[in-house]
Amino acid sequence: MSTVRAQNLQDLIYKRGQAGVTKASVTIVFDNKDTRKSPIGFEEYAKISVTRQVLLPISSPLLLRLTILGRS
């Protein structure tokens, strides 16, 4: 796994939006089959995905999406 560091959120978007790209997003999918390690209330789901999205202008609201994928 690699680490991404940025001085500010604009640095996460290609050319800081100057190339017409105005958003960046990342999704992490967690394998949740081991119910002993599952978050409370999510034991019945096989996978959990979390998405973070950054939009320009930065004054736009934060989007944090949690998606439940399939039941165990």
Side-chain angles (χ1 to χ4, degrees):
M1 178 181 275
S2 63
T3 302
V4 176
R5 293 179 186 237
Q7 297 274 331
N8 57 54
L9 291 176
Q10 287 180 334
D11 290 344
L12 298 174
I13 299 174
Y14 180 69
K15 292 190 176 181
R16 297 177 145 216
Q18 295 174 8
V21 177
T22 58
K23 75 176 179 180
S25 63
V26 64
T27 300
I28 301 171
V29 179
F30 296 95
D31 181 347
N32 196 42
K33 292 178 184 170
D34 185 353
T35 57
R36 296 171 297 155
K37 296 180 181 179
S38 296
I40 296 171
F42 293 91
E43 297 87 353
E44 64 185 282
Y45 302 103
K47 294 182 182 178
I48 300 171
S49 76
V50 179
T51 300
R52 169 71 194 267
Q53 189 174 78
V54 178
L55 303 169
L56 287 178
I58 296 302
S59 61
S60 60
L62 165 70
L63 170 65
L64 183 62
R65 180 181 309 147
L66 172 68
T67 305
I68 311 302
L69 304 170
R71 296 187 186 270
S72 297

